[in-house]
Amino acid sequence: MFRFEILKTDPLTKARAGLLHTPHGTIETPVFMPVGTLGSVKGMTQQMLEDLGARIILGNTYHLYIRPGHELIRNLGGLHKFMSWDRSILTDSGGFQVFSLSKLRKNDEQGVTFRSHLDGSQHFFSPESTVLIQNALGSDIQMQLDECTPYPVSHETARTSMQLSARWAERAKHEWLKTPANPSTLFPIVQGSMFPDLRRESAERLVDLDLPGYAIGGLSVGEPRPLTFDMVAATEPHLPTEKPRYVMGVGSPEEIPEYVALGVDMMDCVLPTRNARNGMLFTSQGRMHIGNARYATDPRPPDEKCACPVCRRYSRAYLRHLYQTGELLASILNTIHNLFFYLEGMREIRRAILTEEFSGYLQANRRAMQDAAVADGDG
Ligand SMILES: [Zn+2]
């Protein structure tokens, strides 16, 4: 049911264009996955997401386990049916949320005991239980439970943590294999903080498990961005070429082509949706805060080069008015534009790879982003 096909590899970088076949349809890669933590991409209806061309979205195991509960979702036919989304879903294991949100967390070899961030009730996640929860959700791609190493940490701490995550990956695989012909596939997560030798060791241990795809985690946790790129570059050569690579929690529009150039096939990030709700739009000219007074009488679309339904119909002045008055529609329209900007950007990258124009695209992107950074100064 799950198969990855590489259609074209860029001759000058590690970028590739492919097809990811899942039980809920085929996804063109590289792909950006909108984040729908609680079974909803905030501000978007499922119809809007389909219209924007999203083929896969994220759900979150921790949040859905807390509310409404995975058994309730299982009884209602799984997450796809529950939220009326026929396309693919990837669920994060919830490790990151347990470590960042929950109170009184205690982890040991067996798993992690934590208190809900909502009512303080006590819960336990193990590598096995998070597979069972994700089986109940019925996600197309599930993630192993991992320990999220904070930044910065010592080499020794990072090594101990990475090895625990690797043992958890093995246990997750064992549990995952217990469901015959499990329609949900499992990705382990490469850890190792900011140490190339640990990233390598982690990747090698996980590759031994021979799973259908690999995630690179523990990045975008406060480290300088060049270090993030270095860690992806240090990990990539140790992952199998023929399997998809997913870098978790990245990136900004100017960074995405850089990850693609490093051989990354899948990414997710809350930036387009979260920033939209805060009035920040990503445009071909850089970032724009729509609440700015200078847009009050501006009849132009938010981004004159954007073909999204918002830019085709509405003015900066109107969007600014909606934002200033706290209208719900402000969040909705801003999110449509930002998601389109991300999804269309990725489609452009993919076209460039297929036509062997990616290196030129990458260079142009670097120049444009430098110019935008300069223009940003007055935004
Ligand atoms: Zn637009």
Side-chain angles (χ1 to χ4, degrees):
M1 290 255 238
F2 185 89
R3 197 162 54 85
F4 183 53
E5 211 181 323
I6 296 174
L7 300 179
K8 187 101 187 172
T9 303
D10 180 62
L12 294 172
T13 69
K14 301 204 164 180
R16 32 297 175 91
L19 294 172
L20 191 58
H21 304 281
T22 79
H24 290 87
T26 295
I27 300 150
E28 296 185 332
T29 65
V31 64
F32 176 79
M33 305 181 284
V35 178
T37 306
L38 276 157
S40 152
V41 175
K42 293 190 196 315
M44 290 293 96
T45 64
Q46 279 64 331
Q47 180 69 51
M48 291 173 187
L49 291 167
E50 288 161 8
D51 292 346
L52 290 173
R55 310 291 315 184
I56 178 169
I57 59 171
L58 250 69
N60 188 275
T61 302
Y62 170 86
H63 285 285
L64 293 168
Y65 163 85
I66 299 278
R67 280 188 310 193
H70 60 291
E71 288 301 345
L72 181 147
I73 293 175
R74 188 209 305 272
N75 292 335
L76 288 167
L79 186 56
H80 291 88
K81 189 148 185 244
F82 179 58
M83 64 181 287
S84 186
W85 174 256
D86 284 337
R87 299 183 179 182
S88 305
I89 297 176
L90 180 149
T91 44
D92 192 1
S93 68
F96 181 79
Q97 285 68 29
V98 168
F99 286 92
S100 60
L101 277 181
S102 66
K103 296 165 191 137
L104 300 169
R105 167 176 55 78
K106 197 175 122 272
N107 56 313
D108 56 26
E109 188 64 35
Q110 279 318 300
V112 52
T113 306
F114 59 94
R115 288 189 182 278
S116 156
H117 69 290
L118 285 181
D119 61 7
S121 56
Q122 187 171 300
H123 304 271
F124 176 72
F125 271 0
S126 68
E128 291 83 5
S129 75
T130 46
V131 166
L132 293 171
I133 296 168
Q134 291 175 91
N135 283 347
L137 297 175
S139 39
D140 296 87
I141 301 170
Q142 53 175 282
M143 309 299 299
Q144 72 152 115
L145 182 69
D146 61 336
E147 185 177 69
C148 294
T149 325
Y151 172 81
V153 289
S154 70
H155 188 273
E156 193 192 341
T157 306
R159 184 156 203 260
T160 307
S161 175
M162 176 274 286
Q163 291 177 338
L164 177 69
S165 286
R167 290 193 296 276
W168 284 3
E170 226 175 302
R171 285 168 52 191
K173 180 190 174 187
H174 187 72
E175 186 61 48
W176 174 67
L177 286 175
K178 282 186 190 167
T179 305
N182 194 336
S184 179
T185 201
L186 173 71
F187 282 18
I189 304 173
V190 176
Q191 289 288 349
S193 189
M194 307 303 153
F195 303 101
D197 62 320
L198 299 184
R199 288 276 165 190
R200 178 187 184 147
E201 185 186 333
S202 176
E204 286 175 350
R205 288 181 66 154
L206 299 180
V207 169
D208 285 343
L209 298 178
D210 192 24
L211 284 160
Y214 290 87
I216 304 175
L219 295 175
S220 221
V221 288
E223 78 280 11
R225 193 51 79 230
L227 196 50
T228 320
F229 293 138
D230 287 350
M231 289 306 105
V232 175
T235 308
E236 184 276 335
H238 309 291
L239 295 175
T241 316
E242 71 280 8
K243 293 184 179 176
R245 298 84 173 260
Y246 162 34
V247 175
M248 306 175 75
V250 301
S252 66
E254 61 271 28
E255 292 163 1
I256 282 180
E258 304 290 338
Y259 288 110
V260 171
L262 292 170
V264 176
D265 307 296
M266 306 162 71
M267 289 166 238
D268 77 281
C269 189
V270 294
L271 274 181
T273 41
R274 181 181 290 164
N275 285 6
R277 299 194 298 280
N278 295 324
M280 209 224 79
L281 302 178
F282 292 102
T283 77
S284 57
Q285 309 301 307
R287 290 158 169 75
M288 161 188 275
H289 197 284
I290 200 65
N292 196 307
R294 76 163 104 159
Y295 302 126
T297 57
D298 193 335
R300 291 174 295 171
D303 183 349
E304 286 169 299
K305 290 184 183 165
C306 178
C308 89
V310 175
C311 290
R312 284 204 312 258
R313 182 159 192 171
Y314 302 105
S315 66
R316 295 174 183 181
Y318 181 61
L319 291 188
R320 187 208 179 242
H321 161 72
L322 293 178
Y323 181 75
Q324 288 303 109
T325 50
E327 284 294 314
L328 280 178
L329 190 56
S331 291
I332 295 169
L333 296 182
N334 294 346
T335 305
I336 290 175
H337 166 79
N338 276 356
L339 278 181
F340 181 91
F341 188 79
Y342 263 71
L343 294 166
E344 186 58 26
M346 204 57 117
R347 287 190 283 260
E348 269 173 34
I349 288 173
R350 190 172 189 276
R351 283 193 289 271
I353 298 170
L354 288 171
T355 54
E356 296 192 3
E357 289 163 315
F358 179 70
S359 294
Y361 178 95
L362 190 63
Q363 297 309 324
N365 176 69
R366 285 175 184 165
R367 281 193 302 273
M369 288 303 165
Q370 272 167 4
D371 295 348
V374 174
D376 242 15
D378 61 356

